[in-house]
């Protein structure tokens, strides 16, 4: 890993083909994150997804991410 990971625990949305998919974020760093799909299996056609991270004060951070296993 390039950066230390911080343990976190909150829900985010993964946007795939313009549809939000609820995911649970378990750790976060400057170079990546780990999220789980607790509710349904998800099939992607692309190795890139968009995520929506809630921030304090009703702010939202949008990021484009490369899926890496």
């Amino acid at each position: 890993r390039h950066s230390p990971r911080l343990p976190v625990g909150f829900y985010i949305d993964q946007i795939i083909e313009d549809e939000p998919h609820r995911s649970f974020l378990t750790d976060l760093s400057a170079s990546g994150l780990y999220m789980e799909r607790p509710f349904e299996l998800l099939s992607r056609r692309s190795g890139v997804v968009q995520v929506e991270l809630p921030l304090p004060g009703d702010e939202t951070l949008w990021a484009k991410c490369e899926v890496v296993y």
Side-chain angles (χ1 to χ4, degrees):
R1 296 212 162 109
H2 299 1
S3 305
R5 297 265 174 130
L6 259 122
V8 295
F10 57 91
Y11 286 97
I12 65 171
D13 285 323
Q14 238 184 115
I15 310 301
I16 301 171
E17 297 179 8
D18 296 325
E19 293 293 323
H21 298 273
R22 202 73 155 155
S23 300
F24 192 72
L25 187 65
T26 60
D27 68 44
L28 184 63
S29 76
S31 62
L33 56 84
Y34 181 80
M35 62 184 163
E36 298 176 348
R37 294 274 314 131
F39 304 116
E40 64 188 70
L41 291 175
L42 192 59
S43 63
R44 298 180 189 91
R45 294 186 197 138
S46 170
V48 176
V49 297
Q50 186 171 338
V51 295
E52 180 181 349
L53 295 121
L55 299 174
D58 293 329
E59 297 288 327
T60 301
L61 173 70
W62 288 83
K64 190 179 282 191
C65 303
E66 177 184 6
V67 177
V68 179
Y69 296 97

